[in-house]
Amino acid sequence: MLRPEPETEEPRKCQGPRDEGVSLDPADWAAYRAQAHRALDEALDFIENVRDRPVWQPVPERVRENLSCPLPREGSPVETVRQELEQFILPHATGNIHPRFFGWVHGCGQPGGVVAEMYAAAMNSNCGGRDHGAIYVERQVISWCKELFGFPEKSSGLLLSGTSMANLVALGVARHGADGAARKQGVTSGLVAYTSTEAHESISKAMEILGIGRANLRKIPVRCDFTMNVESLRDSIAKDRAAGKVPFCVVGSAGTVNTGAIDDLEALARLCAEERLWFHVDGAFGSLCAMSDTLRPRLRGIDLADSIGFDFHKWAHVQYDAGCVLVRDGKLHSDAYRSRPAYLHGLSRGLGAGSEWPCDLGPELSRGFRALKVWFALKEHGVAKLGRLIERNCEQAQYLAAEIQKQPQMELLAPVPLNIVCFRVVHPGLGESELNALNQALVEDVQESGLAAPSSTTIAGKLGFRANITNHRTRFGDLDILVQAVVSAANKRADRGAGVSPA
Ligand SMILES: *Cc1c(COP(=O)(O)O)cnc(C)c1O
């Protein structure tokens, strides 16, 4: 559409004597620009040289001190602030950009995220709604997600801080579908939901926050491969119905946080269709297997879900934070959240136009431009490459599992279906509780060594190491270093003659 030229004949000078020094913009843009260029170089150096640093090190006392000073009354030159940041903050990152960070499920980001975030900061768009470019970027990203998961065009989606929020938003839509009065009256209808004992804690939290209560989330037992036992689920639903409860939702996991197990999504979808229940998939990291032709078949049935929650910041390597919810019934999604007071009434033209705004699809009004870094990563790398990196992480997990099985003093704690390897050190003569204490101490030793950062978990009462590989920087040799770090920590403790005594 052609737009009229602005009607100013020549640029008017707006600044008068009363405006002196009131803006936060620099007085000297050239000097500021030089500082900003320095900052960009430092940021990229930080990523480029990550391999030369320890994975993690404790935050030193002088840093803690620096970070507990009083509220600054006066400002400082940007150069001073930047140097302080580089001295006290930058060296103490979590460590997840390092190739040997294996803790929890952390993504490691990539340089493109730095660039995209810089532009997003310059635009500083508020993505709650209205008619501007950022809204179209988010719609583009959501439409790519629909394509990825085989969701219909009429479905809807929203970028959020992560899968915890995505699970909450999805369960909120499910609640609205089952109990249309809940938005106004609260929940009084006896709703119950189902997930497995291996499900992520965010599902329980969502039940709490939505006023349904965590006691009304049934934790269905898992099979020996850690996937939900669908027959137990069926029994549990029948029992609840007989007791006058109102089953409304089943949450399946595509990649559990403990072991990477993927529930039988197709069987769950079928059962949900029979029982007329909402089927939500927590696919925080595992659902990204949809990017790989070889791994996609493991997700069979995910396209039948009513909603999916997943993260770009884990296995798609987008910088934190970037999660997403997709909802098959787009109308129900906005019915569940839309609430527009007078100051948010849409207009038919102008900046206030657009019929559906992101704020109609979730709890947030003001929102940052998360979509830009996702758009940038998908454009720069493409799903084929991201998919290959996911495959490689799974191959690396198999390699690590094989290496562990070669070690006489180690054992696997769970099958390795995806990218997570749970194992522990064993020691003849130690009982289970001593072994748990030993392994916890060893996880701490390895983290503090700076060589690698695995985390810990407990599987069937056995505490051990948990190595999650969602990292495009990890090389096979990094896994050898992890195994060596565990062996050497174990030997050190054995030399000291005590399994468990602290260092
Ligand atoms: C990480 C994770 C979550 C929570 O996602 P956040 O992005 O941390 O909010 C939920 N479910 C699973 C399976 C996860 O791995």
Side-chain angles (χ1 to χ4, degrees), residues 149-151 265-270 272 279 281 299-308 328:
F149 291 114
F151 261 45
L265 303 178
E266 203 170 28
L268 293 179
R270 212 176 310 121
C272 286
F279 178 35
V281 174
L299 300 171
R300 197 167 289 124
I302 199 168
D303 55 323
L304 304 171
D306 292 296
S307 52
I308 311 176
R328 173 177 304 279

Side-chain angles (χ1 to χ4, degrees), residues 248-268:
F248 80 107
C249 176
V250 173
V251 180
S253 302
T256 59
V257 67
N258 262 341
T259 70
I262 299 177
D263 286 337
D264 184 344
L265 303 178
E266 203 170 28
L268 293 179

Side-chain angles (χ1 to χ4, degrees), residues 40 43-48 50 96-98 106-118 312-320 322 370-382 385-386 389 470-473:
L40 180 59
L44 293 177
D45 284 350
F46 182 73
I47 301 177
E48 186 182 354
V50 59
N96 50 310
I97 76 163
H98 196 284
H106 281 27
C108 71
Q110 30 86 42
V114 177
V115 178
E117 288 281 70
M118 186 180 67
F312 288 103
H313 59 215
K314 288 177 176 169
W315 233 350
H317 312 298
V318 172
Q319 259 76 352
Y320 285 95
R370 286 192 185 106
L372 190 63
K373 59 193 173 186
V374 180
W375 176 89
F376 201 97
L378 291 172
K379 280 271 184 183
E380 186 184 355
H381 303 301
K385 181 163 190 187
L386 294 171
L389 290 166
T470 42
N471 194 324
H472 62 87
R473 289 195 183 103

Side-chain angles (χ1 to χ4, degrees), residues 105 161-165 167 200 202 255-257 282-285 311 313-314:
V105 189
S161 62
T163 299
S164 302
M165 285 301 291
N167 288 340
H200 193 266
S202 57
T256 59
V257 67
D282 174 351
F285 62 99
D311 281 322
H313 59 215
K314 288 177 176 169

